[in-house]
Amino acid sequence: MDLATIEADVEALRVDLERQCLAVRRGLQEQQRTGPIFAEHPLTTSLDSIAFLRGVTRTGRDRDERERAFRLYYECIAQFIRMELLMMDETVEQFLVQVKVEVDGQPLSFAEMLPWVLSQGDFDKRELLRRRALPLLQKAGEFKARIWDHVLEILREDFGYADYLTFCAEKKGIDMRALAQRCRSLLEATDEVYRAHVPAWVEKEMKRPFAEMSRYHAMRLLQLTPFDEMFPKDGLMGALENTLQAMGIAAALGRRIFIDLEERPGKSPVSRCVPLRIPEEIHVTMRPTGGVSDYETLLHEVGHALHYAYTETTLPYPYRHLPRSFALSECFAFLLEGLTREPAWLAVHVKASSRQIEAFVYYKTLKLLCAIRRYVGKFLFEREFFTHGPPWDGGIYSKWLGRATGFVYEPEAALMDLEDEFYSADYLRAWMAESFLTAYLKEYFGQEWFLSRKAGAFLVGLCREGERRSLEELLGYFGYEPEDFSYLLKRFDGLTSPEALVP
C-alpha cells in the first residue's frame, strides 16, 4: 500500500461519482448506481487505507507528503461515511420525492417546494405551504437525526473523534471558537443598519408587519423579482462572455469550462459547478428562467469554474481536488457574482436607467446583508447544535436564525437546513475575504477592474495556486487579515434608500 495507489483510487471514485451526479442533474440519467460505484473502488473506503494515511500524516518524509496524505485521509473518511449511510440517505431521498403536500390543488414534494416558493407571488399560498409542510419537515428531520447519530458513532468508534466539531475544525484547520466570536461581533456591528432598512423593506413588499414573518417569505423577497425585467434570459450568456473577454479570461469557455443552460425534462433546478477533472473538464449546469437570480447564479458558478480551469495542471491531485475547505473557491465565486452590485457593470449589461440601477444596487446590497447575517446565524446554530449533540434540539436553530434575521425559522426545519462539515464557515470566510479582494482590485486596477486585462491576469495568477494554500494564506500575501472584517462592513456604510424604489 502506498500514497500514489490510494490517490489514484480516490480520483477514479470521485470522477465516477461526479459524472453520475452531473448526468442526474442535467436530466440525462434517472437512476443512480452509487453502490456499484463504491464497489468498484474499494481502496478508498478501506479502513486499512485510512489507517495508513493517518500514519503518513505523522511520519511522512516531508511537509508536502504529510499534507497530501492529510487531505486524502479526510476524503477517505468522508467517502467511508457516505458508503456506510448510503441506504439511509436513499430512504430519505425517496421520502422527500414521494411524500407530498397539496397547495391550491397542486401536489408538491419537498424537492419541489423551494422552486415553488421562489416563484410564488401569493403571500397566503406561501403561508399555507409553510403550515402544511411542518409535518413533512418533522418526519424528514427524524430521518436526518438518525443519520447524524450514525455519523457521530462512526467518527467516534472507527476514527476516534470525540465529536463532529473537533473533526471539522481539524480538517479545515480553523479555530471554530474564534470564528464564532467574530460572527457575534459581525452581528452586533450590522444590527443597526439591518434594523434601519430590512424591516421597512419587508413591510413595503409584503404589506404585513415584519414581526413573526416566516422564512418562506424571506426567500421570495430575496429573489428581487421587481427587477427581473432588467435581466432578460436571452442576454445571460452574452453578459458572461463579454465580462470574461474584457478581462482576457474567456479562453477557458468551451475548452475547459462547459456550460449547460438547456431546458430538458428531469433537469434539476439547482445549479452547480461540477469539476470532473481539474483543470481540463469543468461543467456548469443550470436551468435559467429569466431574471436577477439567473445572472447571480451563472456568475457565481462560473467563478468556481474559473478557479478550477486556471489551476496549474502540474499540481498534485490533492491540491487540485481536495481542499481543506471550500472557502477559497467560494471567494472567487462571490467575487464574480458581486459584479451584479457594481453600477458600472450593470450599466453595460442590463437594460435599465441610472435610477433603476441605483434602486437595484440598494436592494442587492440589502440582499447581501440578509444573506451574510443568515449564514452567521447558521454557523452559530451549527456550532452550538453539535456542541450539545444528541438529542438534537431544533430550538437552537430557531433561536440563532431568528436573532440573526428577525424571521421565524421553525425548529422542525433545523436538520433539513444543516449542511455537512460547517459549510456555513466556508461561506462566511469567503465573504470576508472577497470584500478585501474586491477593494484590492479597485485600488490597484481601478473602480472598473472588471474591464482590465491586468486584473484578469492577476486573478489567473491566484487561481494557478489551486487549493494548495488556504484562503487566508493566499490573500495574506496582499495584506489580508482574517480578523479584520472592516472591508465587509464598508459595503453597508452610508446605505440610503433611493427615491426610485422599484424599476
Side-chain angles (χ1 to χ4, degrees), residues 100-125:
K100 300 177 185 287
V101 296
E102 187 172 299
V103 179
D104 198 28
Q106 181 179 359
L108 296 168
S109 69
F110 187 89
E112 295 167 326
M113 285 183 191
L114 179 58
W116 185 89
V117 168
L118 297 181
S119 63
Q120 179 53 251
D122 189 310
F123 182 96
D124 293 328
K125 289 181 180 179

Side-chain angles (χ1 to χ4, degrees), residues 85 88 141-157 385-386 389-392 415:
L85 301 180
M88 296 181 73
E142 292 170 5
F143 283 127
K144 286 286 190 178
R146 288 196 287 272
I147 289 175
W148 279 110
D149 288 342
H150 282 284
V151 169
L152 298 190
E153 182 182 356
I154 291 169
L155 288 174
R156 183 177 61 252
E157 295 186 2
F385 193 72
F386 283 111
W392 306 109
L415 284 156

Side-chain angles (χ1 to χ4, degrees), residues 365-383:
T365 305
L366 286 190
K367 177 176 179 175
L368 175 65
L369 177 61
C370 291
I372 290 170
R373 287 178 61 98
R374 168 173 149 74
Y375 270 87
V376 165
K378 280 194 68 171
F379 174 73
L380 294 173
F381 145 64
E382 289 167 358
R383 183 173 179 273

Side-chain angles (χ1 to χ4, degrees), residues 103 116-133 205-206 208 213-221:
V103 179
W116 185 89
V117 168
L118 297 181
S119 63
Q120 179 53 251
D122 189 310
F123 182 96
D124 293 328
K125 289 181 180 179
R126 293 196 302 271
E127 191 62 22
L128 179 60
L129 174 65
R130 182 192 68 81
R131 294 195 301 270
R132 291 186 175 176
E205 293 297 325
M206 298 298 166
R208 289 168 174 80
M213 186 75 69
S214 162
R215 67 189 179 100
Y216 285 70
H217 311 301
M219 290 188 284
R220 168 65 181 179
L221 179 71

